[in-house]
Amino acid sequence: MRRILLSLPVLAMAVLAACGPQEPEEKVPADQDPKVEPAVDTVSTVDPLPIQENTLYIYTLRKPKGTIAAYDEAMAATTIQGILNRECGPILYIQSQAMGMPQYWLEILSTDGWLAGRTQVNLETFDDLMALAINKVNWCVIWDPSVPATVNVATTIAGIRDAVVLSPTMASTYQMKYGLRTAMDLQGKFTGSATGSKKNDAYRWAAGAYLSQCNPHLACLYEDSWAARKEGNLNYVVTRDWAVYNRSFVLDLSPWDDERPKDDPNQPLGCDVNTYRQILTSLQNLCNGTQMTELAGFFVSKYASSGNDDSFASQHGDVQTEWQNVKLISPYNCYQNTVAHSCYNQSVHSQAPITLPLKQNDRPAVGSPQPGKTYICIQAGDYDSTTPIYVHLFEKGIWT
């Protein structure tokens, strides 16, 4: 029996699309021109690996599960992936030793799906990955672990500048070796002097410097490094190929104005949501009423009391916080792809060929599966999230 993976996002319309509030935007701190390139000019010691036609290159994340090293490796690999798959077509596939989903879908799509017939080449080391990327990726962005929001700012810049995102540790190890020039070094850049919050200084600066260059139809609400890096949690790291591929703005902000978030308890009350509204206003203005904006991703551990974590005494529950986020973004012509974590290789899967127009056939009579026929399962609903399609079909063994 042949199997076909069909991604069918169903648009969830937001209310009040044309009448979002129009708050005046504050001037963001812009003490450094984003076009200024600090001088790091070296020559790579790695020989380029020529990209072959009809070839899928596979890189497996190798650092130990649940470690800072795993977080940093995945951040670098997936931001490289987003650039290569945008510029060269779907050539780089990320595998995981800790999770079986990427291998599961690769086997299906390579057996009788759209990747069948492609030569598969395993990249054994990070050096091999850089050798493949070196002709397309010449820049890096170094983020500041002491300001977790900068990993999202760095991802935004990576999409605009075609740069790999490196932690300071990885930069000290690999930047000179690969001859990567510095597109931006965010270490020590944000002090909280503008907003009373380093986190919000970072996002407001990024919005002022880069948002006008981003794709206004997709913003990524991805968890920053505040807790995820020390836990080696890759849920919203392995998705970053999609943010870079689409040149999206990446953020992580609370939708509540009546309490301070767990990750930034000393910020002025309402600072997060005020920054959030400024970004939403800019996105709405950039779209100019021509198309809605998807906000991909969501998480609540920093912004609500959760059954899994009683260390944050929020007055809001997790589902209530999800609803609050929808209420916040809807007037700005945005809709929410609520849970988008752990979905590897979106920059590959999104390039599957589709024959248009799609046609809905008449409903067939109920019968038993027949040998030699192809059966397609479609999940249709309010498009609550991407993850059930990618993860749960694998976990529950539905796709057989």
Side-chain angles (χ1 to χ4, degrees), residues 184-293:
M184 187 63 63
D185 186 345
L186 299 172
Q187 296 177 94
K189 184 172 180 60
F190 304 108
T191 64
S193 60
T195 65
S197 161
K198 295 179 182 180
K199 172 186 182 181
N200 284 274
D201 277 13
Y203 285 123
R204 294 193 194 189
W205 175 85
Y210 292 101
L211 186 53
S212 65
Q213 303 172 65
C214 292
N215 176 1
H217 306 307
L218 175 66
C220 295
L221 194 60
Y222 286 177
E223 184 176 12
D224 67 22
S225 68
W226 178 73
R229 187 176 185 241
K230 63 185 177 184
E231 297 169 354
N233 184 337
L234 306 186
N235 285 350
Y236 278 109
V237 180
V238 297
T239 56
R240 291 181 185 252
D241 67 310
W242 191 231
V244 171
Y245 179 87
N246 285 284
R247 296 191 170 101
S248 299
F249 192 87
V250 185
L251 66 153
D252 169 1
L253 291 162
S254 171
W256 294 112
D257 60 7
D258 59 355
E259 67 181 18
R260 296 172 178 84
K262 183 178 180 180
D263 66 328
D264 194 13
N266 297 317
Q267 69 171 237
L269 186 65
C271 192
D272 261 30
V273 77
N274 288 337
T275 301
Y276 204 162
R277 288 193 179 106
Q278 289 181 34
I279 293 168
L280 291 169
T281 298
S282 295
L283 288 169
Q284 184 182 38
N285 291 339
L286 288 169
C287 289
N288 195 29
T290 61
Q291 188 173 331
M292 297 181 73
T293 298

Side-chain angles (χ1 to χ4, degrees), residues 46-276:
V46 177
D47 292 329
L49 176 65
I51 297 172
Q52 303 295 328
E53 292 186 4
N54 200 37
T55 299
L56 186 68
Y57 296 89
I58 300 170
Y59 179 74
T60 301
L61 300 174
R62 290 175 170 79
K63 297 298 183 181
K65 180 181 178 181
T67 64
I68 288 175
Y71 186 95
D72 290 354
E73 177 198 24
M75 186 67 64
T78 55
T79 50
I80 289 171
Q81 182 187 30
I83 298 165
L84 288 184
N85 289 343
R86 173 168 23 90
E87 299 302 316
C88 305
I91 65 167
L92 180 58
Y93 195 90
I94 300 293
Q95 292 273 40
S96 168
Q97 292 181 334
M99 302 186 75
M101 294 173 298
Q103 179 63 30
Y104 175 81
W105 291 116
L106 181 60
E107 288 177 357
I108 288 176
L109 297 173
S110 298
T111 300
D112 48 13
W114 71 283
L115 295 176
R118 289 205 179 199
T119 301
Q120 295 184 8
V121 175
N122 288 313
L123 303 173
E124 300 295 340
T125 66
F126 194 79
D127 279 343
D128 292 341
L129 175 59
M130 280 306 307
L132 181 73
I134 202 67
N135 287 332
K136 295 293 182 181
V137 182
N138 306 122
W139 299 92
C140 69
V141 185
I142 305 170
W143 62 283
D144 185 350
S146 70
V147 183
T150 60
V151 77
N152 283 345
V153 173
T155 304
T156 298
I157 298 172
I160 300 300
R161 297 297 304 274
D162 289 349
V164 56
V165 174
L166 297 178
S167 67
T169 301
M170 288 198 73
S172 65
T173 304
Y174 296 118
Q175 184 177 9
M176 297 292 287
K177 181 177 184 179
Y178 301 134
L180 298 169
R181 291 173 288 174
T182 305
M184 187 63 63
D185 186 345
L186 299 172
Q187 296 177 94
K189 184 172 180 60
F190 304 108
T191 64
S193 60
T195 65
S197 161
K198 295 179 182 180
K199 172 186 182 181
N200 284 274
D201 277 13
Y203 285 123
R204 294 193 194 189
W205 175 85
Y210 292 101
L211 186 53
S212 65
Q213 303 172 65
C214 292
N215 176 1
H217 306 307
L218 175 66
C220 295
L221 194 60
Y222 286 177
E223 184 176 12
D224 67 22
S225 68
W226 178 73
R229 187 176 185 241
K230 63 185 177 184
E231 297 169 354
N233 184 337
L234 306 186
N235 285 350
Y236 278 109
V237 180
V238 297
T239 56
R240 291 181 185 252
D241 67 310
W242 191 231
V244 171
Y245 179 87
N246 285 284
R247 296 191 170 101
S248 299
F249 192 87
V250 185
L251 66 153
D252 169 1
L253 291 162
S254 171
W256 294 112
D257 60 7
D258 59 355
E259 67 181 18
R260 296 172 178 84
K262 183 178 180 180
D263 66 328
D264 194 13
N266 297 317
Q267 69 171 237
L269 186 65
C271 192
D272 261 30
V273 77
N274 288 337
T275 301
Y276 204 162

